[in-house]
Short mmCIF file of all heavy atoms in Angstrom, two decimals:
data_model
loop_
_atom_site.label_atom_id
_atom_site.label_comp_id
_atom_site.label_asym_id
_atom_site.label_seq_id
_atom_site.Cartn_x
_atom_site.Cartn_y
_atom_site.Cartn_z
N ILE A 92 -9.03 48.55 -56.27
CA ILE A 92 -9.73 49.89 -56.32
C ILE A 92 -11.19 49.71 -56.06
O ILE A 92 -11.83 50.55 -55.25
CB ILE A 92 -9.36 50.62 -57.50
CG1 ILE A 92 -7.85 50.87 -57.74
CG2 ILE A 92 -10.11 51.89 -57.69
CD1 ILE A 92 -7.33 51.65 -56.71
N LEU A 93 -11.87 48.84 -56.75
CA LEU A 93 -13.25 48.57 -56.70
C LEU A 93 -13.57 48.13 -55.21
O LEU A 93 -14.63 48.59 -54.68
CB LEU A 93 -13.84 47.60 -57.72
CG LEU A 93 -15.37 47.37 -57.66
CD1 LEU A 93 -16.05 48.76 -58.06
CD2 LEU A 93 -15.75 46.28 -58.77
N PHE A 94 -12.85 47.21 -54.67
CA PHE A 94 -13.06 46.72 -53.36
C PHE A 94 -13.07 47.92 -52.37
O PHE A 94 -13.94 48.03 -51.52
CB PHE A 94 -12.04 45.76 -52.99
CG PHE A 94 -12.17 44.83 -51.83
CD1 PHE A 94 -12.86 43.69 -51.68
CD2 PHE A 94 -11.80 45.31 -50.59
CE1 PHE A 94 -12.93 42.94 -50.55
CE2 PHE A 94 -11.83 44.68 -49.48
CZ PHE A 94 -12.49 43.48 -49.44
N SER A 95 -11.94 48.81 -52.50
CA SER A 95 -11.77 49.81 -51.51
C SER A 95 -13.01 50.82 -51.76
O SER A 95 -13.49 51.43 -50.67
CB SER A 95 -10.52 50.55 -51.79
OG SER A 95 -9.49 49.47 -51.62
N ILE A 96 -13.33 51.14 -52.94
CA ILE A 96 -14.32 52.19 -53.20
C ILE A 96 -15.68 51.65 -52.60
O ILE A 96 -16.50 52.33 -52.02
CB ILE A 96 -14.34 52.55 -54.63
CG1 ILE A 96 -13.16 53.47 -55.00
CG2 ILE A 96 -15.73 53.40 -54.99
CD1 ILE A 96 -13.02 53.75 -56.48
N SER A 97 -16.05 50.41 -52.92
CA SER A 97 -17.30 49.80 -52.42
C SER A 97 -17.28 49.83 -50.93
O SER A 97 -18.33 50.07 -50.34
CB SER A 97 -17.55 48.49 -53.14
OG SER A 97 -16.60 47.49 -52.97
N LEU A 98 -16.25 49.37 -50.33
CA LEU A 98 -16.15 49.29 -48.80
C LEU A 98 -16.31 50.72 -48.32
O LEU A 98 -16.99 51.03 -47.26
CB LEU A 98 -14.97 48.68 -48.39
CG LEU A 98 -14.97 47.14 -47.91
CD1 LEU A 98 -13.65 46.78 -47.35
CD2 LEU A 98 -16.10 47.03 -47.00
N SER A 99 -15.75 51.78 -48.86
CA SER A 99 -15.77 53.11 -48.40
C SER A 99 -17.21 53.61 -48.59
O SER A 99 -17.69 54.27 -47.70
CB SER A 99 -14.84 54.01 -49.11
OG SER A 99 -13.49 53.55 -49.01
N GLY A 100 -17.89 53.27 -49.64
CA GLY A 100 -19.29 53.64 -49.91
C GLY A 100 -20.15 52.98 -48.83
O GLY A 100 -21.11 53.63 -48.28
N ILE A 101 -19.94 51.72 -48.41
CA ILE A 101 -20.63 51.13 -47.26
C ILE A 101 -20.29 51.86 -45.97
O ILE A 101 -21.28 52.09 -45.29
CB ILE A 101 -20.28 49.62 -47.26
CG1 ILE A 101 -20.82 48.87 -48.52
CG2 ILE A 101 -20.87 48.95 -45.94
CD1 ILE A 101 -20.43 47.59 -48.57
N PHE A 102 -19.11 52.20 -45.76
CA PHE A 102 -18.82 52.92 -44.55
C PHE A 102 -19.48 54.28 -44.42
O PHE A 102 -20.03 54.58 -43.45
CB PHE A 102 -17.25 53.13 -44.50
CG PHE A 102 -16.74 54.05 -43.34
CD1 PHE A 102 -16.62 53.40 -42.12
CD2 PHE A 102 -16.65 55.39 -43.54
CE1 PHE A 102 -16.20 54.34 -40.97
CE2 PHE A 102 -16.25 56.18 -42.38
CZ PHE A 102 -16.13 55.55 -41.18
N PHE A 103 -19.63 54.99 -45.36
CA PHE A 103 -20.38 56.18 -45.43
C PHE A 103 -21.78 56.22 -45.55
O PHE A 103 -22.46 57.17 -45.15
CB PHE A 103 -19.82 57.19 -46.65
CG PHE A 103 -18.37 57.81 -46.54
CD1 PHE A 103 -17.44 57.36 -47.31
CD2 PHE A 103 -17.99 58.51 -45.42
CE1 PHE A 103 -16.02 57.80 -47.24
CE2 PHE A 103 -16.76 58.97 -45.19
CZ PHE A 103 -15.83 58.63 -46.17
N SER A 104 -22.32 54.85 -45.72
CA SER A 104 -23.69 54.86 -45.70
C SER A 104 -24.24 54.25 -44.49
O SER A 104 -25.40 54.62 -44.04
CB SER A 104 -24.26 54.20 -46.93
OG SER A 104 -23.71 52.80 -47.00
#
Side-chain angles (χ1 to χ4, degrees):
I92 300 297
L93 183 62
F94 190 93
S95 302
I96 289 173
S97 56
L98 261 183
S99 299
I101 292 171
F102 175 82
F103 287 117
S104 61

